[in-house]
Amino acid sequence: MLASSISSSLLLFLLLLPPAHPADASMQWVKLEGSPLSHLLLDPRAGQLFVGGVDHLYQLTSDLKVMSHVKTGPLLDSPDCLPPIVAQDCPSATPTHNHNKLLLLEAEPLAGAEPGPGAEPGSLIVCGSLFQGICEKRSLSNISQLIYRTSNPVDTQYVAANDPRISTVAVVITTRNKQEVGMAGGELRLLLVGRGYTSRGPGDIPPITTRRLHPVAPPRKAFSQEEELGKLVVGSYSEYNNHFVKAVAHGDHVYFLFSRRDMRHTKEYRTYASRLCASDRSFYSYVEVPLLCRGGYNLAQGAWLGDLSGTPALFVVMAAGQASTPIATSRSALCVYTMKDLDATMRRAQEVCYTEGGLDSSGQEEAYIEYAVSSKCLKLPKESLSDYPCGGEHTPNPIASAVPLGVPPTVTLNTQLTSVTAATEAGHTIAFLGDRDGRLHKVLVRPDRSGHLYGSLLVDAGGAIGADLLLDESQRHVYVLTDDRVSKLPVSSCDRQTDCLSCLSIRDPYCGWCVLEGRCSRKHECERHLLDNHWLWSFERTNQCVTVRSLQPANQSRDEQTQVTMSVVQLPVLQGAESLSCVFGSLPPQPAVVMGTELTCQSPVPELLPPMPPRSDHMVLPVFLMFGHVTVAMGNMTFYDCGAISRLNQSSQCLSCVGSFWTCNWCPLDQICTHNHSCPRKLVLHHNDSPGPGSCPLVSSLRGSALVPIGLSTTIVLEGRNLDIYQDEAQYVCVVEVEDVQLNLTAAVRKTEDNTHIFTCSPHQFQYRLSQLQYSAAIYLRRGQQRIDASPGLRLHLYDCSAGQSDCSQCRAVPEEYSCVWCLGSPAPRCVYSQSCSSSPADTCPTPRITQVHPVTGPVEGGILVTITGSNLGTRYQDVVGGVKVADVPCVAQPEGYQISTRVVCELQSSGNYQVGNVQVTVGTTPPGRSTQMFTYQNPKLTGLVPDKGPVSGGTKLTIKGQQLLTGQTSDLTAFLDRQPCFILNEVTDSQFVCKTSSSNRTGPVPVRVFFGKANRTGPDLTFRYLDDPVITKATPAESFYAGGRVIKVTGRNLDVVQDPVISVWVEPLEVQRVKRRRRLALLTARQQLVFNGTMTTVSERCSVLSPSEITCLTPAVPPEVRVKGVWFQLDNVRVHYDSIEGKSFTYYQNPQFFPLNRDAPDAPYRFKPGGVIAVEGLDLTRAMSKDEVRARLGDQDCEVKTLDRTHLYCEPPENQPLSVDGSSELPMLKVFMGKLQADLGLVQYDSDLLLSPIPLAAQISLGAGAAVIILSVLIVILMYRRKSKQALRDYKKVLLQLETLEINVGDQCRKEFTDLMTEMMDLSSDVGGPGLPLLDYKTYAERIFFPGQQTALLSRQLDLPESRRPTVEQGLQQLNNLLNNRLFLTRFIHTLEAQQGFSQRDRGYMASLLTIALHDKLEYFTEVMKTLLQDLVQQYVAKNPKLMLRRTETVVEKMLTNWMSICLYSFLKEVAGEPLYMLYRAIKYQVDKGPVDAVTGKAKRTLNDSHLLREDIDYSAMTLNVLVKNGVEVQPCPIKVLDTDTITQVKDKILDQVYRGAPFSQRPAADSLDLEWRSGQAGHLTLSDDDVTAVVQGRWKRLNTLQHYKVPDGATVALIPRFLSSGVNQVFQTGEKTPMLEGEEEEGLRLWHLVKSSEDSEIPKHRKSSMRERERAKAIPEIYLTRLLSMKGTLQKFVDDVFVAILSTKRPPPIAVRFFFDFLDDMAEKHGIDDPETVHIWKTNSLPLRFWVNILKNPQFVLDVQVTDSIDAVLSVIAQTFIDSCTTSEHKVGRDSPVNKLLYAREIPRYKQLVERYYSDIHSAASGCYQEMNSTLTELSGSFASEMNGLVALHELYKYINKYYDQVIMSLEEDTSGQKMQLAYRLQQVAALVENKVTDL
């Protein structure tokens, strides 16, 4: 907290700070250090801002410029130590960040007010999280100036919470000082503080305290909590852990808003408001009320005291809690509570508690005393509340209302709201809401508390908005605090709206349109806002802008000026001499005369108007209604130009002019269009006058036909009317426009009697170049230079008969009015105009000519369409009707396909039989035309189809075979299965075609029909059978690698009906490089992402059908750069997605990685010694592959794969070196094939005996015999050395191979055993899912975990005290409980006891469990203490060997950790792991009981433990007993399976197991309390016993009786009866049982045995029984015994896997306690610089698997109500040891001398190791930050099970340790300086005095 004034370097830094950055034009922001910033404070007098964050304080100007900056941390501190911090006295102290907890103004006296005596100027109150939350005062003018800070704080000055996550709120109040001497009449400034409970540091600070601010006269201290100032007394601090949100002063009261768990009623979290009188120094007036925000919003997140329509109200943002936790979800609401309602509810609670005992009129509880204090509601006089409104010593307190104050939410949002502030604007209330996504929401709150969300704004995308949301003094801006920045935003965007429409459309309550000022403004900013129509409110939907309703005239000629009248809606009233004006476009304004809602003004002078737009006869000009320079309203006026009309319509100027939309007149003599009503030459044709356009001079029509043939001189005659107006003799000319060329023809005119003018144009031969029959040419009349209007549509139609008419029929088909004929003249016949034909035209056309017929075949029944093409095929359809024959059979012509002269389409008729002929077409009387092609009537036949069956969903490709299938066109060919179409595929041949079946709605045979047009063909045996769709029930395995080729075995039903089974994989490209979590958000915004195009990309492989129930598929190869989105099987039309088969998804993995045989020299051959195996190394070899699927080839021969694990493949090559298959080398190459993946691993060279042969003969002769002997000796030594060096590796490989072979050999037996076991477990699983899971209740579970092996149940005991002493002792124990809640006391107490030599390991564990019980209701505190102790433990081991930490339970904290894990994982056991554990237990019990078990030694034939293996071959047989079981009143026989070698007790146990199946073991009768009676008909009842007079005695050995001994037959009837009620009828002899048998017999000198004697030679001394020879014999297990173990292992494997997977699976989120503790261990490792991952792995293993799960696996009776016998315990020990081996990091290798249990699971342990590593890795990589969730869970656990803990007895037992080491504990507390401050030794002495009347120094 130490901070100094700003240095020069700091000033330089401040100058270089970036200024406030505007995100847009309206927002400023400044980025600050100290994230997350926590508090924002505004000094209203100076307008300055103060910001508090982590290690930083800032002082800003109103426009966010940094004025001053102070660093407040990090500093050396620890929450467990009291300040001042001295490193030597506080070993846990580390540099700690200082989180700002409080930032408040202590205001100076108001201007003009007389300062009281001793008054001090205003200051800034700053409280941080360091040094137990002490506070300081700083100067408001410069925060770097420190006004007050204590250098040696005392415990009464600890103000704020020392934990950054725990909330602290406060409010400064000023009262009159009436109590202090010498300060009478002065002011007393106090700080009322609300803070949450912290588990570290002083634990006795009340939730609400009063602190002194001013005056401070010695010995008093600032911020001190003094007895006379008052505090909220609480019975249990941890239970009442209030999360404070806000503290406000209002009137004469102070209010606190907080949330906490409702400890009295629902146990759910809810929000409360509490109140105190400001003058109440004793908290007599404290009252709290639950606040209900309907809709499930129960957790307050932020609050603001404001006004709602002039009424004070509390605005609260609430969030819905997650389940029963204090964690807020993203569902939030704003709720508004008026202070009037809140005060009324609180007064009612006070009144009821004062005067009515807390009950309402119906006797229901309405008020009560909260906080577990010894007070209760009373029945005082009725006027008590009015007499004592702030309570008194005699009134009950603190009071809580049981009736909540509920309101509906004002507005709800799907985001987590964090803050709120409210403002009043023009009588309306506006709330601003901040959320955790950095958005600011604006809400209009109506007087009825309903709301309307009218805007949202993103302030900071990088952080949540803090709780302090402030408005500046002008209420124009809002200051927003986020994680690392302060932003300043305008409250509205009024000034950004530039026109009335945009202003009203934003619907902002702040905004409205100020009409005469022409701006969007707040109401008070508009000068005349009180007058009607002057300020239009934006939020009022009915408001509309001032608008021009109409203009008169709306249209006006641009050539004239007139007066314009405007009708205006909502025209504001002007004052005095004010006036409006009109502005047309950009022209100068015209004065306007206002008359009510209308006004008039003059239109512009024509010369000023802008020019007309091109090709337009009018323009629209805006008309603005102006007040000065302000536009009030706007309309539009149209100005038209009559002259432009005639210019734009040259062909009909007069018609266009007088017929236009505008008021225009035509002057025919002047040829002008004008708005005037007169013309220069007087004659005028008025607009739309009768006859109107009909009076225009006009060429009305052509006389004669408009059709004109080209190439022939033609005279055109025109008719005109209304031409009398022209009096002069101007010449007329006919104008014809042909292809953009004007032809001027002289016109002769004559006038008829009806005043019609006839114009005869001079003759002309017309031509055009286009090759088309007709061309339309424009024609008009011109008089001099004047163009006479022509009637619309007057055109001359020129035509050319030869264009497009290539034959006679086409020529004659031209309509008659064209007079086209087929002219036979030279050079060739052609189509011409009749008058152009020089010879006589043809009367008839030539014979039809046929060029093509399609098709040329058809069925004898006809019914198909034949297309005939050619020429002269008639001029119309009727010409060919009845004239078409195909092969002499009439063919009916179809009108739809007929084309003149060139095409005839006819429908083939039946011929009756095979027939061939040509096609004939006859037109009229001409001879028929015949085709050169021959047409064949043929009879197609169907001969067969393949296949003849398929799925009912269709998709089968059906091949239909036959003859003459190419009959007709392919489009005529259709196929049907009954009525279902079969879609034809590919090309059709004459002998077959393929079609794809469609789906059917039923199964069964259906006929196959093929249609050739309308001809139907089928066959007698042509039926297709629709079968049920294929069904896939299983597909394994469910994984492959990218290379593909792995065989997927698919089983199901009807799989053989599938013709084309396919496995398909849907893939999509991978995203661009993944990034780390902390950088992901930033990078994703910067990088361009790959976008998948949405089309499904698939890779597929065909599958093979093996049988109706099985197909096999090879997985498709998938590129590694794609992601697999789905896998499915396409079975014809049936698609089966893989994940729909068994609910599992198919997974693709990276390809396995192989290493070369010679990794050091890959090119060198690998030397192999024959007789061994080749070891191939790699990675992830078994991830998507099994041993049986791998193939290895060495050269041209197989290398037999023996073993495959994750990192190794072992294969056995041939004895002799194979040949190479590659010519490049003589040595064979080893290749490994996994599916489509092939790995070439290198050349292999066998070690040949020739290499080791003696020296050649020549050398022997030359060197002599002596040298030969020496060399030979050396070679032998070298050979022996090499053989020995490789022996270990070969042994390891051979052991694995032997195990592999053994497992294969017992595989069939295992499968049979497993099938039997699963049949047995099927019935069990239904029991386990329901009440059949015999889970222990929490109390029993805790007893067995906390106190294993103890007979007396501590949790069920009571204090053994005289009644006279009980109250005193209980009071002392309660004070001891309070002491235990002081962390300093507890840690010193534990460390002191652990330092005592007499404090044994058993004592440590016992004391840890006692502490667990005593603090079970405060698990959060218990956890913090445990973490503190563990930190100390880490410190110790880091200095020595960190890998040994948590290895054993040698300290108190290690047993505390065991208990903590047990508490936190109980629900996990209950919901997840309990069921598979129970199933494993039952499976073991069932398997063990199926074979003989020795009752004396516990050895069994079926076991996993070789030391408990019954090695002798015992002859036994299974038998069934009919046990009489009483069911109600009936006695029914129940068959029970037993063995004839079972003892009587074993039989009784098996009977009880079956009869009480599913019932907890503790609820079953004991076998010793029952007798077994054999009821053998006439022989009577015989009671059977393990030991009686019939027992066989041989020497010193007596054998236990069995069913075999009594010769009980298979199917015998027996009954279990109570032992003392048994009565033998017709018994042969009396039994003489002794219990327990073993002890009794031993005393008689006899030794009992059952199946085997415990030692063959009892005379051998015990110390020699474990001789070396025996141990060697035990190691060398005969194969038959190992086979038994492997058989048991294989049978139980599924259940072992289920348990391990349940414990270590991350598919469901791991338990929060595991994530929390693993995070803690990671933090510890990082803190101490431990970067060895193995060390952290060992810590995690020691803390969870070995500490908790191994204990549960070995002792399921800790969790389940079951009996664990020796034989079951032996099996569980092996499984637990396997679990231990799986959690170690050391490599798991086995050899000949390895323990059998390690050999048994040698192949599984690597897989389990992967499971453990993935479990640890997934937890480590998951997002951290589970602290709050952990605390919520601990709080919930505290409340759930605390009532079951016997706390007083535990405290009493703990006190015995205190008493035993009393002096040492007292001395330790007195030596500690912090303990002295807290008077811990004194408080312990008080406890001792109360508990045992110990004489102390008190």
Side-chain angles (χ1 to χ4, degrees), residues 1335-1368:
L1335 197 72
L1336 292 174
D1337 63 88
Y1338 180 77
K1339 183 177 179 181
T1340 311
Y1341 163 80
E1343 281 181 340
R1344 295 187 180 183
I1345 294 283
F1346 296 173
F1347 308 104
Q1350 291 200 13
Q1351 299 297 323
T1352 56
L1354 180 75
L1355 300 184
S1356 304
R1357 280 168 37 194
Q1358 297 297 323
L1359 280 178
D1360 186 14
L1361 294 170
E1363 286 304 318
S1364 59
R1365 288 275 302 139
R1366 183 178 297 276
T1368 306

Side-chain angles (χ1 to χ4, degrees), residues 1215-1488:
E1215 288 293 330
N1216 299 315
Q1217 179 171 306
L1219 297 176
S1220 172
V1221 294
D1222 185 1
S1224 62
S1225 174
E1226 296 180 358
L1227 297 177
M1229 170 79 73
L1230 179 64
K1231 299 183 179 182
V1232 175
F1233 300 89
M1234 289 185 169
K1236 296 179 182 178
L1237 182 67
Q1238 174 182 328
D1240 296 341
L1241 303 177
L1243 301 175
V1244 176
Q1245 180 176 2
Y1246 279 39
D1247 283 343
S1248 171
D1249 291 338
L1250 293 176
L1251 298 175
L1252 304 176
S1253 62
I1255 298 175
L1257 183 60
Q1260 289 181 355
I1261 294 173
S1262 64
L1263 296 175
V1269 170
I1270 294 172
I1271 292 173
L1272 182 61
S1273 302
V1274 171
L1275 289 176
I1276 291 172
V1277 170
I1278 293 173
L1279 177 62
M1280 290 179 63
Y1281 176 76
R1282 289 182 61 193
R1283 290 175 62 88
K1284 287 291 184 181
S1285 65
K1286 295 183 180 179
Q1287 185 66 39
L1289 179 61
R1290 286 201 294 270
D1291 284 351
Y1292 172 54
K1293 295 171 183 175
K1294 286 192 175 182
V1295 167
L1296 287 179
L1297 287 174
Q1298 289 172 2
L1299 285 171
E1300 183 82 22
T1301 307
L1302 276 177
E1303 290 208 42
I1304 292 171
N1305 292 339
V1306 300
D1308 291 337
Q1309 180 185 351
C1310 287
R1311 282 190 284 275
K1312 180 180 181 304
E1313 294 280 351
F1314 184 72
T1315 304
D1316 295 342
L1317 178 59
M1318 288 305 293
T1319 305
E1320 175 75 13
M1321 301 296 281
M1322 285 283 284
D1323 301 330
L1324 175 67
S1325 60
S1326 60
D1327 297 336
V1328 173
L1333 181 63
L1335 197 72
L1336 292 174
D1337 63 88
Y1338 180 77
K1339 183 177 179 181
T1340 311
Y1341 163 80
E1343 281 181 340
R1344 295 187 180 183
I1345 294 283
F1346 296 173
F1347 308 104
Q1350 291 200 13
Q1351 299 297 323
T1352 56
L1354 180 75
L1355 300 184
S1356 304
R1357 280 168 37 194
Q1358 297 297 323
L1359 280 178
D1360 186 14
L1361 294 170
E1363 286 304 318
S1364 59
R1365 288 275 302 139
R1366 183 178 297 276
T1368 306
V1369 174
E1370 288 184 356
Q1371 182 184 354
L1373 294 178
Q1374 192 59 49
Q1375 289 189 17
L1376 175 59
N1377 188 42
N1378 292 339
L1379 262 181
L1380 292 177
N1381 280 292
N1382 185 296
R1383 189 180 318 192
L1384 178 61
F1385 172 81
L1386 184 53
T1387 52
R1388 297 289 295 188
F1389 173 48
I1390 292 172
H1391 287 322
T1392 302
L1393 264 62
E1394 286 184 327
Q1396 308 308 312
Q1397 289 186 351
F1399 195 62
S1400 67
Q1401 186 171 335
R1402 181 180 175 279
D1403 289 333
R1404 295 164 197 253
Y1406 187 59
M1407 175 182 166
S1409 294
L1410 293 175
L1411 285 172
T1412 307
I1413 295 174
L1415 299 175
H1416 202 297
D1417 59 340
K1418 306 175 187 65
L1419 286 178
E1420 191 176 346
Y1421 169 67
F1422 179 84
T1423 306
E1424 291 298 327
V1425 172
M1426 181 185 76
K1427 284 173 59 180
T1428 302
L1429 295 171
L1430 282 171
Q1431 288 170 356
D1432 297 342
L1433 192 68
V1434 173
Q1435 190 76 37
Q1436 295 174 23
Y1437 276 97
V1438 165
K1440 296 184 291 185
N1441 185 351
K1443 292 185 179 180
L1444 298 178
M1445 191 180 76
L1446 300 176
R1447 192 172 182 179
R1448 298 183 180 87
T1449 305
E1450 298 175 343
T1451 61
V1452 172
V1453 69
E1454 287 172 302
K1455 178 60 176 175
M1456 288 172 70
L1457 175 59
T1458 304
N1459 296 345
W1460 184 83
M1461 279 288 183
S1462 306
I1463 295 169
C1464 296
L1465 294 184
Y1466 178 70
S1467 61
F1468 182 79
L1469 282 168
K1470 187 176 181 180
E1471 298 164 7
V1472 179
E1475 181 176 334
L1477 181 65
Y1478 183 50
M1479 297 294 273
L1480 173 63
Y1481 164 79
R1482 289 301 298 256
I1484 294 171
K1485 183 170 178 56
Y1486 176 76
Q1487 281 301 104
V1488 169

Side-chain angles (χ1 to χ4, degrees), residues 844-864:
T844 60
C845 285
T847 300
R849 178 171 169 266
I850 299 174
T851 57
Q852 186 180 22
V853 178
H854 183 73
V856 293
T857 60
V860 294
E861 296 92 339
I864 68 169

Side-chain angles (χ1 to χ4, degrees), residues 316-564:
V316 186
V317 285
M318 301 269 217
Q322 180 178 312
S324 298
T325 69
I327 301 171
T329 66
S330 59
R331 215 166 54 84
S332 304
L334 168 67
C335 280
V336 183
Y337 305 87
T338 65
M339 299 305 289
K340 179 181 177 183
D341 292 343
L342 186 59
D343 287 337
T345 308
M346 290 176 168
R347 279 197 303 273
R348 173 61 185 165
Q350 282 180 293
E351 184 177 14
V352 170
C353 195
Y354 282 5
T355 64
E356 298 173 21
L359 306 178
D360 61 10
S361 56
S362 61
Q364 297 294 318
E365 184 180 68
E366 191 173 348
Y368 59 94
I369 301 300
E370 189 58 283
Y371 296 104
V373 298
S374 57
S375 180
K376 61 180 179 179
C377 291
L378 305 173
K379 292 191 176 181
L380 300 174
K382 294 295 183 184
E383 60 276 5
S384 294
L385 181 58
S386 57
D387 291 346
Y388 299 95
C390 291
E393 291 184 1
H394 64 293
T395 58
N397 67 87
I399 297 171
S401 171
V403 180
L405 175 60
V407 296
T410 299
V411 67
T412 61
L413 288 92
N414 285 323
T415 181
Q416 185 181 327
L417 296 174
T418 56
S419 54
V420 59
T421 190
T424 299
E425 175 69 14
H428 305 289
T429 301
I430 293 101
F432 297 89
L433 315 177
D435 70 17
R436 70 173 302 129
D437 299 322
R439 289 189 171 274
L440 185 69
H441 307 275
K442 304 174 183 180
V443 177
L444 174 70
V445 184
R446 301 186 182 93
D448 62 355
R449 301 188 213 183
S450 63
H452 178 86
L453 177 67
Y454 69 86
S456 294
L457 174 69
L458 181 62
V459 178
D460 182 2
I465 292 181
D468 294 333
L469 202 59
L470 305 176
L471 289 159
D472 64 4
E473 277 298 287
S474 66
Q475 304 283 293
R476 297 179 64 89
H477 294 89
V478 59
Y479 292 107
V480 182
L481 183 72
T482 51
D483 280 352
D484 61 357
R485 65 170 68 172
V486 179
S487 304
K488 180 181 181 181
L489 293 83
V491 294
S492 70
S493 58
C494 305
D495 53 353
R496 296 169 64 188
Q497 315 308 318
T498 56
D499 59 80
C500 178
L501 281 177
S502 64
C503 182
L504 297 190
S505 64
I506 60 173
R507 300 204 65 236
D508 188 333
Y510 274 96
C511 301
W513 184 253
C514 190
V515 177
L516 295 186
E517 296 177 25
R519 64 190 181 104
C520 194
S521 71
R522 295 166 69 174
K523 188 172 184 178
H524 68 274
E525 294 172 346
C526 184
E527 185 178 347
R528 304 184 187 183
H529 64 268
L530 298 177
L531 302 177
D532 290 342
N533 298 336
H534 278 264
W535 189 78
L536 308 175
W537 191 33
S538 166
F539 204 77
E540 183 60 61
R541 288 184 182 275
T542 58
N543 276 343
Q544 60 177 342
C545 297
V546 179
T547 53
V548 177
R549 179 184 294 160
S550 63
L551 278 124
Q552 292 295 332
N555 308 315
Q556 180 187 330
S557 172
R558 66 168 290 135
D559 296 324
E560 64 177 343
Q561 185 177 18
T562 186
Q563 185 170 285
V564 180

Side-chain angles (χ1 to χ4, degrees), residues 965-967 970 973 984-994 1012:
L965 299 181
L966 280 174
T967 298
T970 305
L973 186 66
I984 295 175
L985 308 172
N986 304 329
E987 187 179 352
V988 180
T989 68
D990 208 41
S991 59
Q992 71 177 36
F993 66 87
V994 178
F1012 301 85

